[in-house]
Amino acid sequence: MCIKPGEIVGMTGPVGAGKSTLLRLLVGLLEPDSGIVQIDGYPSRAKKVKEMVGVLFQHSSRQLFEKTVYDDIAFGPSNFGFDRRDIERQVNKAVNIVGLDKSLLEVSPFGISGGEQKLVSLAGIIAQSPRYMVLDEPLAGLDTKGKTRLPHIIQTLQNMGVGIIVISHHLDKLLEVAPRIIYLRDGIICFDGQRQQYLLDDSLPLPPITALMKRLHARGLPVNPATFTVESAIKQLEKLEIGDVDDA
Amino acid sequence: MTPDYFLSFVPGDSFLHKLDPRTKLIATMLISILIFRLHLTGLVLLFALFMVLYYLSSVRIALLRNLRPIAPFLILIFIFQLFLIPGNSFMDMYGFSATSAGLFEGLRIVGRFVLLIQFASLLTATTSPAHMTAGIERLLRPLPGKILGVTSFEIATMMSLSIHLVPVLNRFLREVYQAQLCRGLGRQKRISGLVSLAIPLLRGAFRMMDDIAMGMESRCYQGNYRTSLFELKMVKYDWMALMLVFVLLLGFWNLNITLLPSYQI
Amino acid sequence: MIEIKDLSFGFKENQRALDSISVSIDSGEFVAIVGGNGSGKSTFVRHMNGLLLPDEGMVKVWNMDTRTISNLTAIRRKIGMVFQNPLTQFVGATVEEDVAFGLENLACPSSLIRNKTDYSLAELGISHLAGKSPLQLSGGQMQLAALAGVLVMEPECVIFDEVTSMLDPFSKQQVLATIARLHEKGKTIIMVTHNLEEVHLAGRVIAFEKGRIVYDGKSSLFFDSPAVSNPGISIPPLTELALWLRENGLKEIDVSNPDVNTLEESIWQLKSRI
């Protein structure tokens, strides 16, 4: 498989499908038994890769350690040799992207809520200004506000030309952000293609809304079987004018 | 099957596995005392005993790998003894002379450590952590723990918890390490390299302890008298094994067969 | 059975985690407790078996006050609790040792512990895991093992504190099915969750917001209450669609537990009425 800069790929699959192994291979924490992993021409073991690929691990919000939120976000960039003014710019940019309250920068990362911690660790990755990012279950631990914000964050990053892999069990959320889906099972890529094709493939698990729309489509209703959000489903049903039944 | 960790348990149902943990604990203690009494000849005989037990245990622990953590230490001791003990020199190197007295003394001390470790690993390889803690708890019970503020039950629980938590913390540490590695850990020699691992680990450990304490409490843990899933029972074989070790201890106590020369410091 | 009166509890001086809560729960009920992060739902259930003691008000379990220390063991035998993180509620080196832990604390004789442990593992269909260490198990298996460790003490009520939040979808279903089965067998179930897809399992829903109860009633009516617009709560997509359908002409639809089949039928009906 191959991932381009500025592309968003959603990766999903059952437990033990090899998602986290693949993640570790991508950033050179594991070495492939055979085959190659290359990032912009560098082998995945190369030191440069750690700088180019930012990884948000599943429990990353538990791994904060600096005295202030600012220092924690600055940890990555300062390790990768940015100078002080650059660091400040990077941190501010990252904080703006994730939508973190500026007043939190000077407090300890241990005094803030779990959802905020998650955003801080995400900002820490963004501040490294990686060319690629891997987000492992970014939704876990986020509060409702963060969850609604996440698609915007991912969108902003994409516009900046960052290639993003999102790993998640939440199929509907994944479909919302990722036009390309990879489905792994037992260490094998079962599906790799566009979102629309994924939704039309019956052998893969589907979000409930899609399952419903598919059945309605099969019964002859003029709806798009590849629908996965409630909003769009409601819009299509409105068009069928079933809402006006009572008046009729 | 070779165990992953130093001094770990290997499941089995050999004669040694079936012995009561108390028997094995006491026997190991007695043998340890003996090891420090004996000279080279005695150590060779004990090593023969070890090989017999090792064969009986039917566990194939990596005997040499067990020594790896302390191997540099042992080599150093041996070299010191070899060159620094005065006596008949048989080899000269850079102005230091290796003496035969030093050679035997070095062998004796290194042999003691090796035997100690091998007997200890035999104990841990044939006794599951649960049995071990139950055994230690039972042995400690007569001690006036109340005065010290801890009961034998609390000590046993603490022991089994720490045995079980080491791999859990290990896994957590690896997670933190990998994440920090990806954030450029070790790129620049900064003191916070260590801090960036230690703080999350400690916080994680404390939070874990809180959770565990809560879980234990809600399952009625009180730290006082408790029973065990594994009932300890001294049977005929246990007493026989203990008798044998006693006989061995008494018989070897003043063993001075000097097939090999022994030097006292 | 569980009687809570004017319970208040504060972690910090000026901010109350729980604010004068009064609830009573009867034997055999299945109660879902919902709310966002920090709404006080976990704090609340921890009062029920005396892990936390009220600052004000009282909690009585089978008429035993949790503030009387000598009652605590008896209370905890009647009310078991399974927690969120599967790994940190393990105290044994293997599954069977862990399951036996509670009975060991009650000083049961070994042979009885053995029988009950084996029975409890078999009941949940995880006998084959008895000798495994927790690190060899999946999250779902670990939660089932933790549940076995609670059931072995034969409690009358089991509290589940966000037990599915760290599990993958498959394990989640497995654990939820087990909880539903326990309720059928007559156990009282109290399930803390932030996933509203789980509330239809329960007969009654109690919703928390900022330390106060904002809804307490039938689960079938929960989605009609203003509590649903609570900022910490997100409505599952199918429920949202069902709510829309009801607003638009389908009065009789059950919004508490819509599935793909019923929604398909309802929409089809609506369509054919035109």
Side-chain angles (χ1 to χ4, degrees):
Chain A
M1 76 187 208
C2 163
I3 291 152
K4 294 186 220 67
E7 186 177 28
I8 303 179
V9 181
M11 197 184 287
T12 187
V15 175
K19 297 184 299 270
S20 56
T21 311
L22 192 60
L23 180 159
R24 283 173 172 76
L25 279 167
L26 281 176
V27 286
L29 291 170
L30 290 173
E31 210 157 350
D33 287 338
S34 62
I36 47 165
V37 180
Q38 270 191 348
I39 289 111
D40 284 357
Y42 293 95
S44 65
R45 272 306 235 218
K47 277 195 171 166
K48 191 97 177 100
V49 164
K50 300 244 169 16
E51 209 173 317
M52 292 194 300
V53 186
V55 188
L56 184 74
F57 285 90
Q58 234 177 70
H59 301 299
S60 52
S61 56
R62 293 186 190 163
Q63 294 163 6
L64 305 172
F65 62 93
E66 294 273 19
K67 282 188 211 73
T68 66
V69 168
Y70 179 91
D71 287 346
D72 229 308
I73 300 176
F75 177 73
S78 62
N79 273 334
F80 290 119
F82 289 73
D83 67 36
R84 189 180 289 174
R85 209 180 301 146
D86 267 347
I87 292 176
E88 202 176 325
R89 218 181 45 230
Q90 289 294 338
V91 172
N92 281 328
K93 194 180 79 186
V95 167
N96 280 334
I97 292 174
V98 300
L100 205 64
D101 196 338
K102 281 254 164 41
S103 65
L104 291 177
L105 280 179
E106 294 313 313
V107 303
S108 152
F110 309 121
I112 59 181
S113 78
E116 287 163 344
Q117 283 182 348
K118 187 86 182 186
L119 289 180
V120 170
S121 39
L122 181 58
I125 310 294
I126 296 174
Q128 286 169 214
S129 59
R131 303 197 50 184
Y132 300 93
M133 283 179 71
V134 188
L135 312 177
D136 193 358
E137 288 292 350
L139 284 167
L142 279 182
D143 49 20
T144 325
K145 212 175 92 199
K147 276 179 188 156
T148 42
R149 173 126 194 127
L150 192 70
H152 300 288
I153 300 176
I154 292 177
Q155 196 60 54
T156 317
L157 289 168
Q158 187 196 18
N159 293 342
M160 291 161 56
V162 183
I164 304 172
I165 301 178
V166 186
I167 303 176
S168 179
H169 280 128
H170 298 271
L171 205 49
D172 43 349
K173 300 277 173 6
L174 204 60
L175 287 162
E176 247 173 78
V177 297
R180 175 176 161 198
I181 301 288
I182 292 178
Y183 185 83
L184 284 177
R185 192 192 287 138
D186 301 325
I188 294 167
I189 295 182
C190 292
F191 178 87
D192 179 0
Q194 294 307 304
R195 166 162 67 194
Q196 298 300 321
Q197 278 145 24
Y198 179 92
L199 290 170
L200 295 175
D201 193 328
D202 285 319
S203 63
L204 300 164
L206 295 172
I209 294 285
T210 313
L212 176 66
M213 297 304 267
K214 227 177 205 179
R215 288 207 205 169
L216 292 173
H217 181 77
R219 281 187 145 184
L221 289 187
V223 292
N224 181 4
T227 308
F228 54 91
T229 61
V230 184
E231 294 80 34
S232 125
I234 288 178
K235 249 182 220 151
Q236 294 181 35
L237 292 176
E238 264 170 355
K239 265 192 204 143
L240 296 178
E241 293 180 340
I242 58 172
D244 302 328
V245 155
D246 273 19
D247 311 329
Chain B
M1 180 185 141
T2 43
D4 295 337
Y5 298 101
F6 179 53
L7 293 183
S8 62
F9 172 60
V10 185
D13 58 350
S14 71
F15 166 70
L16 281 182
H17 282 90
K18 283 180 190 144
L19 278 181
D20 190 284
R22 285 167 291 179
T23 311
K24 285 183 275 190
L25 277 163
I26 295 174
T28 311
M29 266 188 279
L30 292 179
I31 290 173
S32 311
I33 296 172
L34 198 57
I35 286 173
F36 275 97
R37 277 259 337 155
L38 288 181
H39 301 306
L40 218 42
T41 322
L43 292 182
V44 171
L45 289 176
L46 270 187
F47 190 72
L49 173 71
F50 169 77
M51 287 314 289
V52 172
L53 290 176
Y54 176 71
Y55 179 75
L56 281 178
S57 77
S58 74
V59 293
R60 294 295 162 255
I61 39 181
L63 291 182
L64 283 175
R65 204 163 63 179
N66 276 342
L67 295 176
R68 209 158 52 188
I70 60 155
F73 178 63
L74 290 180
I75 292 169
L76 215 65
I77 290 184
F78 182 74
I79 291 173
F80 270 115
Q81 299 294 334
L82 184 63
F83 289 107
L84 296 182
I85 288 180
N88 306 326
S89 138
F90 63 86
M91 194 171 75
D92 277 306
M93 277 167 96
Y94 308 110
F96 289 102
S97 52
T99 63
S100 48
L103 176 68
F104 286 118
E105 191 55 27
L107 279 178
R108 187 165 70 116
I109 292 181
V110 169
R112 279 175 179 172
F113 277 110
V114 171
L115 268 181
L116 267 183
I117 286 167
Q118 299 302 13
F119 272 108
S121 56
L122 197 59
L123 170 71
T124 52
T126 59
T127 316
S128 78
H131 281 98
M132 185 85 85
T133 43
I136 291 174
E137 188 277 309
R138 214 53 199 93
L139 287 174
L140 290 178
R141 210 183 284 179
L143 291 181
K146 277 259 160 59
I147 302 168
L148 298 169
V150 282
T151 62
S152 60
F153 300 100
E154 284 171 309
I155 295 175
T157 311
M158 273 189 267
M159 276 186 52
S160 62
L161 264 183
S162 29
I163 292 172
H164 146 64
L165 281 180
V166 167
V168 176
L169 281 173
N170 205 356
R171 181 153 98 172
F172 182 63
L173 180 65
R174 201 175 56 220
E175 268 175 31
V176 177
Y177 177 67
Q178 290 191 338
Q180 307 291 24
L181 211 59
C182 287
R183 295 177 69 191
L185 176 75
R187 273 310 183 76
Q188 292 184 347
K189 295 238 181 302
R190 298 205 311 165
I191 186 72
S192 73
L194 188 65
V195 175
S196 70
L197 293 181
I199 293 183
L201 182 70
L202 281 178
R203 292 188 68 88
F206 280 125
R207 196 184 36 238
M208 212 182 264
M209 292 305 157
D210 264 357
D211 285 0
I212 289 173
M214 205 160 57
M216 285 169 68
E217 223 183 299
S218 70
R219 280 154 85 185
C220 301
Y221 179 74
Q222 294 153 74
N224 50 17
Y225 182 78
R226 55 198 301 270
T227 48
S228 171
L229 172 64
F230 304 104
E231 196 173 9
L232 297 186
K233 218 170 160 195
M234 298 286 278
V235 293
K236 197 169 65 188
Y237 291 111
D238 289 300
W239 296 115
M240 275 166 60
L242 273 184
M243 286 281 281
L244 268 173
V245 176
F246 259 112
V247 169
L248 197 72
L249 184 68
L250 292 177
F252 273 37
W253 193 253
N254 282 317
L255 186 80
N256 265 323
I257 328 166
T258 42
L259 291 175
L260 291 164
S262 100
Y263 294 84
Q264 297 281 1
I265 313 168
Chain C
M1 182 198 92
I2 299 176
E3 189 70 45
I4 293 163
K5 264 215 179 92
D6 302 324
L7 164 66
S8 286
F9 184 81
F11 286 114
K12 293 171 194 158
E13 290 284 319
N14 48 3
Q15 183 190 343
R16 283 200 162 157
L18 291 175
D19 198 357
S20 56
I21 302 236
S22 296
V23 168
S24 75
I25 293 170
D26 286 328
S27 215
E29 270 195 282
F30 188 151
V31 185
I33 297 186
V34 300
N37 290 341
S39 58
K41 53 192 194 308
S42 282
T43 314
F44 173 64
V45 292
R46 278 168 200 177
H47 279 87
M48 291 186 184
N49 71 348
L51 283 176
L52 294 173
L53 298 177
D55 287 344
E56 282 163 42
M58 60 130 214
V59 178
K60 273 189 175 173
V61 178
W62 276 278
N63 264 328
M64 293 178 285
D65 196 313
T66 55
R67 281 168 303 184
T68 314
I69 302 298
S70 55
N71 282 342
L72 282 181
T73 304
I75 289 174
R76 287 173 185 158
R77 283 187 74 167
K78 283 189 180 283
I79 301 188
M81 200 182 260
V82 185
F83 295 88
Q84 177 179 25
N85 189 341
L87 206 52
T88 56
Q89 49 190 313
F90 248 84
V91 288
T94 63
V95 170
E96 62 174 9
E97 282 167 39
D98 185 72
V99 173
F101 181 77
L103 293 176
E104 292 176 349
N105 292 333
L106 298 174
C108 281
S110 292
S111 54
L112 193 63
I113 298 183
R114 169 55 66 194
N115 286 340
K116 286 189 172 184
T117 302
D118 290 348
Y119 178 76
S120 178
L121 286 170
E123 208 183 2
L124 295 180
I126 48 170
S127 299
H128 59 290
L129 303 177
K132 292 237 162 100
S133 98
L135 290 173
Q136 294 170 292
L137 307 182
S138 74
Q141 288 174 326
M142 263 193 250
Q143 288 299 45
L144 289 182
L147 178 56
V150 166
L151 291 182
V152 80
M153 295 166 82
E154 293 159 11
E156 289 183 40
C157 167
V158 186
I159 299 175
F160 297 88
D161 191 356
E162 301 218 29
V163 287
T164 60
S165 69
M166 293 171 89
L167 304 181
D168 62 282
F170 174 75
S171 307
K172 217 173 250 187
Q173 289 313 318
Q174 198 183 6
V175 171
L176 287 176
T178 310
I179 295 176
R181 215 175 56 228
L182 278 179
H183 179 241
E184 275 164 28
K185 282 188 185 166
K187 296 251 192 267
T188 310
I189 306 286
I190 298 171
M191 181 174 76
V192 178
T193 177
H194 63 245
N195 185 357
L196 293 194
E197 280 167 47
E198 293 172 5
V199 302
H200 70 267
L201 293 167
R204 175 177 171 191
V205 174
I206 300 178
F208 275 81
E209 188 183 344
K210 290 181 185 155
R212 285 169 183 274
I213 291 180
V214 289
Y215 180 84
D216 180 358
K218 280 189 180 158
S219 60
S220 52
L221 300 175
F222 173 62
F223 288 100
D224 295 321
S225 75
V228 172
S229 54
N230 184 322
I233 287 175
S234 51
I235 305 170
L238 286 184
T239 308
E240 217 175 315
L241 195 60
L243 284 167
W244 179 83
L245 281 173
R246 197 180 52 180
E247 256 173 49
N248 289 281
L250 208 68
K251 296 275 181 298
E252 63 273 26
I253 194 165
D254 174 19
V255 292
S256 69
N257 179 27
D259 59 30
V260 173
N261 280 328
T262 50
L263 282 179
E264 183 194 352
E265 283 311 314
S266 329
I267 294 173
W268 187 247
Q269 263 177 38
L270 269 181
K271 184 68 193 162
S272 47
R273 263 196 244 164
I274 299 175

